[in-house]
Amino acid sequence: MKICFITTGDIKNIATAKRALGMANPLVDLGWNVSILMEDTEENRHRVSMECSNKVKVYYFPHCSAFQEIKAKNKLIKEIDPDFIYICAFVTRNTVGIGHRCKKLVEHSELQSGIPDMKGLRKIHAYINEYFSILYSDALLNASKYLQDVFKKRAKRILKGSMPMLYFPYAYSDGVMKVMEIDRNEPEYSKYKGRKIFVFLGSVVRGYGAFTMIEAMKKVKDKHPEALLLMLGRGGSYQEACDYVKEHKLDDNIFLPGFISEEDISMYFSLTDFFVSPMNDTVQDWARCPSKLYMYLPYRKPIITCKIGEPYNVLGKEGYYYEPSSSEGLANKMMELLENGKTSINVDPLKHEWKFRSGEFDRWIKYVSF
């Protein structure tokens, strides 16, 4: 069978293409003919070279207007003639393949209408787009249990209650997330000797807990000066966070290196003692699937997060949980880990690898009656 993944934008800014790159090789190994449509950017080409074998056919289109992008994608779909197209994010630029014989699979990884800042006409537009995805598609794949429940209810409302849906979380790639042996006595790592390291990877924005982590570390550092928080990534609050860390003399306990290339992530993750994955008690966070959570799993280190949505579904009793948005609660959990000597968790990472997810998809697609 032939499948074509439809993506948009630069993976550096729009992470939904990770699904296509992660599933491409495993699906090829399962006998699929796999194509990916991607915008022609330096980072996209780099990531394809890292993750995809030459058996995966990647078609690049130039950066252009939405209308031109849709036109370019439709032309490629006609040329490829897939049995399925997999829409990695249901946005205007990805509403393609209408009139083609292929089955349209739409993935939802977040609920736009549930974003707190989404108000007025923008919120109405988000609702319309979400309902339209049900009418447009032949099947939905939902990256969280919350999304699965929401779209099942909505499909029933518009008399499509029998349409196929799959609960389909994110995963990690074993070809990218490599566990390394790090010796802090080596010169290149000696600055971390004697430190206890917490790592966060993601967008440095208030809504994703950037300042909850910073405020927590302010509380932790006086009792545990050896604690170090590495906040890896950029985002709308990045410069504000850097200025705050400098102003409050937190430089020795918080490091914000900015964007981290995919090749360097394994080093930081192998170096760390604990991971942090902040969540908020909002519809947005209940619905979203934090892809970084799955990237943490192969390192088997304790993860501090909240009993919200996917993190709790994945970690269960193995997680370290604090009350959402509480810097004091986060600080207490950080100190608990610093003091109790816990060094690992018992969650099987292989059940959250793209190879495993691709097998689930392969079995589901063969079982589904469209």
Side-chain angles (χ1 to χ4, degrees), residues 241-309:
C242 290
D243 294 342
Y244 187 95
V245 166
K246 185 176 181 180
E247 180 185 346
H248 291 82
K249 297 180 172 57
L250 298 169
D251 309 69
D252 193 48
N253 297 95
I254 301 175
F255 180 45
L256 293 107
F259 175 76
I260 299 296
S261 68
E262 205 77 12
E263 296 93 327
D264 293 332
I265 291 176
S266 290
M267 183 275 288
Y268 281 109
F269 282 16
S270 298
L271 183 69
T272 191
D273 298 289
F274 318 106
F275 291 106
V276 185
S277 182
M279 302 291 285
N280 299 305
D281 191 7
T282 60
V283 170
Q284 181 182 15
D285 274 15
W286 277 96
R288 74 185 177 93
C289 182
S291 61
K292 308 304 186 296
L293 172 70
Y294 301 93
M295 296 167 69
Y296 296 163
L297 293 177
Y299 300 87
R300 299 179 183 268
K301 303 292 178 64
I303 300 172
I304 305 175
T305 184
C306 306
K307 288 186 177 180
I308 299 291

Side-chain angles (χ1 to χ4, degrees), residues 18 54 69 108 115 123 155 159 167 169 203 232 235 241 342 367:
K18 288 183 177 180
N54 56 15
E69 183 171 327
H108 288 291
I115 297 175
K123 193 177 187 75
L159 305 179
Y167 165 53
S203 298
L232 312 178
K342 180 80 170 181
Y367 170 79

Side-chain angles (χ1 to χ4, degrees), residues 200-220:
F200 161 83
L201 173 68
S203 298
V204 181
V205 295
R206 283 186 176 274
Y208 284 176
F211 280 85
T212 302
M213 290 185 285
I214 292 171
E215 291 294 335
M217 187 53 71
K218 278 179 67 178
K219 297 175 173 67
V220 169

Side-chain angles (χ1 to χ4, degrees), residues 59 76 104 118 158 286 297 349:
Y59 298 81
L76 288 168
K104 300 169 190 65
M118 194 75 70
I158 57 175
W286 277 96
L297 293 177

